[in-house]
Amino acid sequence: MSRQASTLITGASGEMGHGLIERLIARSDRPVITIDLNPLAPALARMVRKEFTGSVLDSQLLDRINAEYEVDQVFHLAALLSTRSEFSPALAHKVNVEGTLNMLEFAQKEGESHGRPVVFFYPSSIAAYGLPDLAAKAAAGKVAEDVFTRPTTMYGANKLYCEHLGRYYDRHFKQLAADSRSGKVDFRCIRFPGLISAVTVPSGGTSDYAPEMIHAAAQGKPYACFVRPDTRIPFMAMPDAIDAILRLVDAPKPKLTRTEYNIGAFSPTTAEVEKVARAAFPGASITTAVDAKRQAIVDSWPADVDDGAARRDWGHAPKYGFDTAFGEYLIPTIRARY
Ligand code: AKB
């Protein structure tokens, strides 16, 4: 039990949780509590105050954390990603939407019990967009937050809706209720591009082709890429994604002009990623075997995003562009790993 102001991370054993736990522990001694269906890697488990193996759908677990801890910061990372969600849309809706609603209610209760808003970080995605066709995608250029928001996937629809849900809890919670309780959730959200980590490999996403390709090449394993070489979507190196999360949660609230922000870094075609993989790992065996459904998903995502609001409001400034992400972070770290 801890009445010390604490941080709660859901979906903590996923790719983003991995990087986030390390950075949070390195920068302060505030306790970190985690929830995930899967256990944390032992090195991470040693860093956190308390690891709960369980689900964001388990309201008894959330009530227990509510009673035992003073949580004033939530990073709600638990989700089923885009490809996985297309195979189990009802389950995806349950985890991605009901799970988020549970966590917003949890944060609201925490905020009420200790009398100040709980900062709630929510990772949305470029999947919240739905470009109608390739001509529109080519013409759209850098897409801003409020256009083309007609997602074609269950995951994208879940993400977009949860952005709205978060804004509701932040700004409009129970406006008409007799008890006129004010919102106690300080909701902050980033729409992430595809992420590439040198230390973990994603699973269940559709942007996974880039990290899968580079990790397979490094291990000398053949890789059949499931999208066309000319496919272009935005990507970012994982350390920059973690930096962006921390910058956003640290930003003074009055500086934030919106609740959901695009962030970008570089936007390569698949052919450009393949070229870098082949140059770094000359024996790489990379072929193309297009999966029409996964191709249609990435074709509906923007080729690039306008992240001007994030740059202006809270100083989004990715350290890595395409060349440096691969040349200075991904390839050297991956080489050392395998
Ligand atoms: C996915 O591909 O589902 C995710 C995402 C872009 O949100 N990586």
Side-chain angles (χ1 to χ4, degrees):
M1 165 139 30
S2 170
R3 301 317 300 178
Q4 201 181 339
S6 305
T7 296
L8 174 64
I9 307 178
T10 74
S13 78
E15 277 210 293
M16 201 180 271
H18 194 279
L20 186 60
I21 291 173
E22 285 176 345
R23 288 287 301 279
L24 287 173
I25 300 289
R27 76 179 195 151
S28 98
D29 55 5
R30 81 179 356 250
V32 172
I33 306 157
T34 62
I35 306 180
D36 201 298
L37 291 175
N38 301 310
L40 290 175
L44 292 179
R46 283 193 290 275
M47 294 180 191
V48 305
R49 176 68 56 93
K50 175 76 186 168
E51 174 187 2
F52 290 98
T53 305
S55 166
V56 291
L57 297 171
D58 179 351
S59 39
Q60 278 181 348
L61 172 60
L62 298 182
D63 286 346
R64 180 179 158 199
I65 298 175
N66 219 207
E68 292 185 4
Y69 294 87
E70 183 174 320
V71 173
D72 67 355
Q73 206 177 39
V74 175
F75 295 88
H76 173 42
L77 312 181
L80 262 59
L81 296 184
S82 52
T83 293
R84 169 93 200 279
S85 295
E86 289 309 291
F87 285 102
S88 317
L91 175 66
H93 189 276
K94 212 174 177 51
V95 174
N96 295 351
V97 175
E98 284 177 40
T100 301
L101 182 65
N102 286 351
M103 293 314 302
L104 286 164
E105 278 291 311
F106 169 89
Q108 175 66 28
K109 281 188 205 141
E110 282 284 332
E112 276 169 13
S113 68
H114 47 79
R116 62 184 189 281
V118 170
V119 172
F120 190 105
F121 175 76
Y122 180 69
S124 186
S125 160
I126 47 166
Y129 291 108
L131 282 298
D133 52 42
L134 285 176
K137 175 165 168 154
K142 287 179 180 279
V143 173
E145 283 88 349
D146 297 325
V147 292
F148 294 116
T149 46
R150 293 180 71 81
T152 63
T153 59
M154 174 53 92
Y155 170 75
N158 296 162
K159 287 290 179 191
L160 184 62
Y161 173 65
C162 288
E163 292 179 7
H164 293 308
L165 212 47
R167 197 176 56 253
Y168 165 76
Y169 272 83
D170 184 293
R171 300 197 177 164
H172 310 291
F173 181 78
K174 287 197 173 176
Q175 274 178 358
L176 300 181
D179 64 4
S180 69
R181 289 186 303 165
S182 62
K184 286 282 185 277
V185 177
D186 175 354
F187 182 82
R188 302 172 181 217
C189 162
I190 288 175
R191 272 191 203 152
F192 284 103
L195 299 178
I196 316 182
S197 166
V199 287
T200 52
V201 186
S203 85
T206 319
S207 62
D208 295 4
Y209 59 89
E212 283 174 357
M213 185 186 290
I214 195 88
H215 282 267
Q219 294 171 84
K221 292 184 180 164
Y223 184 66
C225 182
F226 56 81
V227 295
R228 287 187 319 268
D230 67 336
T231 303
R232 189 189 291 281
I233 60 167
F235 280 100
M236 177 174 284
M238 188 60 86
D240 277 336
I242 306 297
D243 264 358
I245 297 174
L246 298 179
R247 276 181 205 242
L248 176 59
V249 299
D250 289 346
K253 185 76 165 168
K255 293 249 180 222
L256 304 182
T257 57
R258 46 186 313 127
T259 44
E260 63 293 306
Y261 289 90
N262 279 340
I263 59 170
F266 49 89
S267 211
T269 61
T270 310
E272 286 163 343
V273 177
E274 183 178 332
K275 192 170 164 204
V276 172
R278 286 185 187 283
F281 306 106
S285 159
I286 302 169
T287 50
T288 302
V290 172
D291 174 326
K293 293 197 172 129
R294 297 181 96 182
Q295 181 71 58
I297 293 174
V298 285
D299 284 347
S300 77
W301 294 352
D304 205 353
V305 291
D306 174 352
D307 60 6
R311 289 176 189 265
R312 280 190 302 276
D313 289 2
W314 46 271
H316 170 56
K319 181 171 159 212
Y320 297 110
F322 179 68
D323 291 341
T324 51
F326 282 88
E328 292 174 16
Y329 163 63
L330 289 163
I331 289 167
T333 319
I334 290 176
R335 262 210 191 104
R337 187 167 168 235
Y338 294 116

